[in-house]
Amino acid sequence: MSTLTIAIVIAFIIGYFFIAIESVTKINKAAIALLMFVICWTLFMIDPGQYISHAVGNQVSQAVSEVIEHHLGSTSTTLFFLMGAMTIVELVDQNGGFNFVRDTLHTKSKRALLWRIAFMTFILSAILDNLTTSIVMVMILRKLVSDKKDRIIYASLVIIAANSGGAFSPIGDVTTIMLWNKGVITAAGVISEIFIPSLISMMIPAYILSLSLKGSLTFTSSQSQTVAASDLTTFQRKVVFFLGVGGLIFVPIFKSITHLPPFVGILLVLSVLWTVTEVFYYRLREKEEKGAMQKRVTHVLSHIDMSTILFFLGILMAVACLETIGVLTMLGEGLDQAFSGHYYLINGIIGVLSSIVDNVPLVAGCMGMYPVASEGAMAVDGIFWQLLAYCAGVGGSMLIIGSAAGVIVMGLEKITFGWYMKRITWIAFVGYLAGILCYWAQNLLIAQL
């Protein structure tokens, strides 16, 4: 490993450390992530030739620009998906669309609410995706739980349940989508064999967290009422809800039909919903009713949490630099040499690492390192690939910045890295290990039959 490579890794580690102690420094994590992104790539430019073979002479600038633009393009698809999903969910919420969902989950028991939130998040994340589901559930939690201390416990469970639910579905997580598109897992195979381990990885943390919740929820007068949505008729509110939530469900279908990236589907849903709500509010716009104006997309867009978006940009582009200099590939090869043939250990460690760095380049590195075999653990739907889907998805729950769901919940509920690590990390780790053991026992049982 060259001196320059070591310097880039150190810059990343220092930046990651300051993100971790945000609650102590009071410096917004987005600022640190952006600084880390710029420093890593600036160091990269000292000698890009050692990482990009065709970066020679006058072609250096062009070659580096192509690499950065490639990674920025991949990152932007995630950012546009995130912004679109956040806007859709907020728009549905502003117009009272989640009132009946909230009423369905409504209960005075803290523990009963926890289990309802856990199972609904688990199921929805498999149908939609863990990122969108996390946004929806946090919005609902804000209507149900007024106490901040209790709400961040529920929100932490949303992260765990969303990642667990996304792991067993071919469309529930970015990494499972990658593995599915690559053809190393099938939809039927991953659902049938990863469902129970994923369920276990959610239920055990939910049970542990339920022990810290006692008593009943207290509701304020504002919570006991539905979202003020008198500007629209009941029919119009239902149209907004079904266009929004139904549109989110339609996104993976749109992707399978058109083969376009998911963010294109999200933007399609947003544009249709935007047009429909503008038509609904045309009469109100003529009357210049201020309350109605605040529920239009133009106003909702101004309330998008840009600090979370910029944090995502910074952290993903910094990780992209590590991927470009080959550190992630070296790490994967090192794991293969140290634990050759021990697929449970290799994937278990990859899962832990996915809570530290983005799981997308980790999974991408694994797909590039390990060829698909005709039979055995490395075959299609083999132990290695199914475990990789589980570990890369569920492992991200161990740290709050280890998954897209964690990052968005962190931004929405202002949960600190330190609080999550102290209170939730060990709980998520127990569930993670239990799921791996369940998968091992499940395969052992199948082998004996």
Side-chain angles (χ1 to χ4, degrees):
M1 187 180 293
S2 69
T3 304
L4 182 57
T5 301
I6 294 173
I8 294 173
V9 171
I10 290 174
F12 181 87
I13 293 172
I14 292 174
Y16 190 88
F17 172 74
F18 276 99
I19 290 172
I21 61 170
E22 178 193 11
S23 59
V24 176
T25 63
K26 306 301 180 183
I27 301 174
N28 191 289
K29 62 185 180 296
I32 301 298
L34 289 173
L35 187 60
M36 180 170 64
F37 152 42
V38 174
I39 290 175
C40 285
W41 281 101
T42 301
L43 289 171
F44 176 89
M45 283 301 295
I46 293 175
D47 185 15
Q50 66 175 285
Y51 306 115
I52 307 175
S53 59
H54 58 285
V56 181
N58 296 328
Q59 296 180 341
V60 171
S61 179
Q62 182 181 351
V64 174
S65 293
E66 289 175 356
V67 171
I68 292 179
E69 287 170 6
H70 167 74
H71 288 298
L72 185 60
S74 300
T75 300
S76 296
T77 61
T78 303
L79 299 184
F80 279 116
F81 183 93
L82 176 59
M83 287 189 287
M86 289 172 69
T87 306
I88 291 167
V89 172
E90 181 67 23
L91 185 62
V92 173
D93 180 57
Q94 285 289 323
N95 288 281
F98 290 125
N99 285 342
F100 84 90
V101 179
R102 187 201 68 174
D103 294 339
T104 302
L105 291 173
H106 184 83
T107 175
K108 290 185 177 181
S109 170
K110 290 183 178 181
R111 290 183 177 176
L113 177 62
L114 179 136
W115 285 107
R116 292 182 186 185
I117 289 290
F119 280 105
M120 179 167 282
T121 304
F122 183 81
I123 294 169
L124 284 179
S125 64
I127 300 172
L128 305 177
D129 64 83
N130 49 14
L131 181 61
T132 306
T133 300
S134 299
I135 299 171
V136 172
M137 298 311 295
V138 168
M139 292 297 183
I140 293 175
L141 279 175
R142 287 180 173 179
K143 309 264 177 232
L144 295 172
V145 185
S146 59
D147 186 272
K148 176 71 174 179
K149 292 181 180 178
D150 285 344
R151 194 166 69 244
I152 60 176
I153 292 176
Y154 289 116
S156 299
L157 181 60
V158 165
I159 296 171
I160 295 172
N163 288 332
S164 295
F168 81 87
S169 167
I171 59 172
D173 186 84
V174 177
T175 53
T176 52
I177 291 173
M178 289 167 59
L179 292 168
W180 185 37
N181 287 339
K182 183 75 172 179
V184 295
I185 60 173
T186 63
V190 74
I191 292 173
S192 62
E193 298 200 37
I194 301 298
F195 174 76
I196 295 177
S198 296
L199 184 63
I200 293 295
S201 72
M202 179 274 288
M203 291 184 66
I204 290 179
Y207 173 74
I208 296 173
L209 287 173
S210 71
L211 299 178
S212 63
L213 294 171
K214 298 179 181 179
S216 302
L217 293 165
T218 56
F219 298 97
T220 62
S221 57
S222 62
Q223 286 178 299
S224 61
Q225 300 172 355
T226 59
V227 173
S230 57
D231 302 314
L232 297 182
T233 65
T234 301
F235 171 76
Q236 288 173 331
R237 292 200 300 273
K238 287 182 179 179
V239 169
V240 171
F241 173 81
F242 285 110
L243 277 178
V245 176
L248 293 173
I249 296 173
F250 173 71
V251 169
I253 300 174
F254 177 82
K255 179 185 181 300
S256 65
I257 295 172
T258 64
H259 303 291
L260 290 169
F263 85 94
V264 179
I266 279 288
L267 295 181
L268 169 64
V269 176
L270 176 59
S271 61
V272 171
L273 191 59
W274 193 339
T275 303
V276 170
T277 52
E278 287 293 290
V279 171
F280 286 165
Y281 280 113
Y282 179 76
R283 175 180 56 84
L284 298 174
R285 183 166 60 250
E286 288 182 329
K287 293 182 178 181
E288 296 182 354
E289 296 186 16
K290 184 178 179 181
M293 297 306 101
Q294 293 178 345
K295 295 173 183 176
R296 292 172 56 201
V297 177
T298 49
H299 183 80
V300 171
L301 283 171
S302 67
H303 288 271
I304 294 296
D305 189 356
M306 282 305 298
S307 65
T308 297
I309 300 296
L310 291 174
F311 170 72
F312 232 137
L313 172 64
I315 200 76
L316 289 179
M317 287 302 292
V319 170
C321 185
L322 296 185
E323 181 184 3
T324 303
I325 65 177
V327 168
L328 298 183
T329 303
M330 290 168 58
L331 187 60
E333 290 173 349
L335 286 174
D336 191 38
Q337 292 175 1
F339 305 103
S340 180
H342 298 282
Y343 303 119
Y344 285 90
L345 277 174
I346 293 174
N347 281 301
I349 294 172
I350 288 173
V352 173
L353 290 174
S354 72
S355 69
I356 301 172
V357 297
D358 187 61
N359 56 7
V360 172
L362 280 176
V363 172
C366 289
M367 289 192 298
M369 285 166 46
Y370 302 106
V372 181
S374 58
E375 58 182 17
M378 304 300 294
V380 175
D381 276 335
I383 291 174
F384 178 82
W385 300 114
Q386 289 186 347
L387 261 181
L388 182 60
Y390 169 85
C391 293
V394 177
S397 300
M398 285 183 274
L399 291 178
I400 197 166
I401 64 173
S403 65
V407 170
I408 190 59
V409 172
M410 182 184 192
L412 292 173
E413 285 298 318
K414 309 303 179 188
I415 301 174
T416 65
F417 181 96
W419 181 90
Y420 190 94
M421 189 171 186
K422 180 180 179 181
R423 296 286 302 274
I424 308 298
T425 294
W426 73 271
I427 297 174
F429 183 65
V430 169
Y432 173 71
L433 287 181
I436 294 176
L437 288 173
C438 176
Y439 181 78
W440 171 78
Q442 182 178 280
N443 276 275
L444 190 64
L445 180 63
I446 293 173
Q448 291 177 348
L449 293 177

